[in-house]
Amino acid sequence: MHASRSRLIGAALSLLLAATLAGCSTAESRALAQPAGAPGRVPATSGDHRGAAADAGLTDDDGYIPEGSSLPLDSDKPAVTRLSPNLLSALRHAQAAMKQDGDGTDITIADGWRSERYQEHLFAEAVRQYGSEDEAEKWVKRGADSAHVRGDAVDIADAGAMDFLNRFGDEWGLCQVYANEAWHFELRTTPGGGCPAQSPDGRG
Ligand SMILES: [Zn+2]
């Protein structure tokens, strides 16, 4: 089931070995051993547009997660508990596989389920940020159009987990949907079926 991952790891090890034999410095070797998936929190992105949410009276009950924090998959907050059971289950299976691979990173959620009120707030903020509704719609969907409002999308907080899901998420049906949102995942394929082509811009 994890053959594709094993192949990738094998390829990475071969690269590392080749680099070492070629006399690369230790620092370069370490860089090769830790590609894009190096752990660490992702700074707030322009797509996250959460700035004044607290001022708008948004709370846990809206799925609001303060900027700079994130929730684990077993959180009892609505942002996690109101996700669709299938999505949550897929994420938990992916996390178990990550741990089995010896990756200490947890999958944590920077954004999960959101209330319609929260989504409308995000849209209004995006209009302010991008100057027009047309431009804002490249980044944020309105109200119930958002997969987040339906509980069908998560924004992953950790770069290591993001990288893992980008490479192997389809084993559990998890796909990056938008080319400009490396953090946004939805169930978009049958497990192992390969992800569909990404849309050029995110409207998560
Ligand atoms: Zn998203």
Side-chain angles (χ1 to χ4, degrees):
M1 179 166 178
H2 297 158
S4 57
R5 192 183 322 148
S6 304
R7 265 200 306 278
L8 266 170
I9 290 169
L13 286 175
S14 306
L15 261 176
L16 180 60
L17 182 62
T20 307
L21 290 175
C24 284
S25 77
T26 311
E28 281 165 335
S29 300
R30 254 204 310 275
L32 269 171
Q34 278 199 349
R41 280 201 48 96
V42 179
T45 61
S46 58
D48 272 346
H49 30 257
R50 265 175 285 179
D55 297 339
L58 296 167
T59 68
D60 280 353
D61 288 340
D62 293 297
Y64 172 62
I65 302 172
E67 192 160 347
S69 59
S70 60
L71 298 175
L73 295 178
D74 60 358
S75 168
D76 61 0
K77 303 263 169 101
V80 172
T81 58
R82 292 194 186 179
L83 289 172
S84 82
N86 287 344
L87 175 57
L88 206 44
S89 168
L91 288 164
R92 285 176 174 152
H93 280 100
Q95 172 155 290
M98 264 174 76
K99 293 204 160 164
Q100 216 171 36
D101 282 2
D103 188 323
T105 313
D106 269 337
I107 295 179
T108 57
I109 305 297
D111 262 311
W113 170 85
R114 297 175 191 144
S115 69
E116 218 172 313
R117 182 169 89 112
Y118 184 8
Q119 191 70 25
E120 278 301 315
H121 168 80
L122 294 177
F123 187 78
E125 277 212 333
V127 170
R128 271 196 295 278
Q129 183 178 350
Y130 297 107
S132 72
E133 293 202 353
D134 278 354
E135 202 52 33
E137 281 177 355
K138 289 181 185 169
W139 293 91
V140 189
K141 275 188 174 168
R142 306 209 62 170
D145 291 342
S146 167
H148 283 280
V149 174
R150 295 194 305 270
D152 290 335
V154 288
D155 295 343
I156 302 297
D158 182 89
M162 214 181 282
D163 178 60
F164 180 89
L165 291 178
N166 272 313
R167 287 185 291 157
F168 311 117
D170 75 301
E171 290 184 23
W172 304 277
L174 294 161
C175 297
Q176 179 185 335
V177 179
Y178 305 112
N180 68 344
E181 291 195 359
W183 51 87
H184 177 107
F185 286 85
E186 300 178 25
L187 285 178
R188 285 293 181 102
T189 185
T190 53
C195 288
Q198 295 167 8
S199 306
D201 44 44
R203 300 183 176 199

